[in-house]
Amino acid sequence: MRTAAIPTTEESIRMMQDYLEEFRELKRKNPEKAKNIAQKELIEIGVLDEQGNPKENIVTGHFFGWD
């Protein structure tokens, strides 16, 4: 079994910078595709609801066990 190498902070920052550069290029070349990708990601991480509308509460007390 191989263990995954954990990137350093600097490597993580560089990977995110590379991703953002690629995304900006996609946005320039194909803004509709970039918009669709961004919307799907925001739905997946819970910022938008399934219809693509911003959620009123992104994190609720239930998430923290406060309910």
Side-chain angles (χ1 to χ4, degrees), residues 9-10 14 19 27 29 45 47 49-51 58-59:
T9 302
E10 292 81 14
R14 185 66 205 149
Y19 172 80
K27 184 179 174 188
K29 290 181 178 178
I45 63 172
V47 175
D49 65 19
E50 292 299 320
Q51 290 75 42
I58 296 172
V59 178

Side-chain angles (χ1 to χ4, degrees), residues 4-47:
I6 298 173
T8 65
T9 302
E10 292 81 14
E11 290 169 332
S12 295
I13 291 169
R14 185 66 205 149
M15 288 187 305
M16 183 55 69
Q17 288 172 334
D18 291 345
Y19 172 80
L20 291 173
E21 286 175 27
E22 290 174 17
F23 193 79
R24 286 184 187 114
E25 184 66 18
L26 174 63
K27 184 179 174 188
R28 188 181 66 73
K29 290 181 178 178
N30 190 341
E32 192 62 33
K33 183 175 182 180
K35 180 180 176 180
N36 289 336
I37 290 170
Q39 185 176 37
K40 287 178 185 176
E41 293 295 325
L42 290 170
I43 290 169
E44 187 174 315
I45 63 172
V47 175

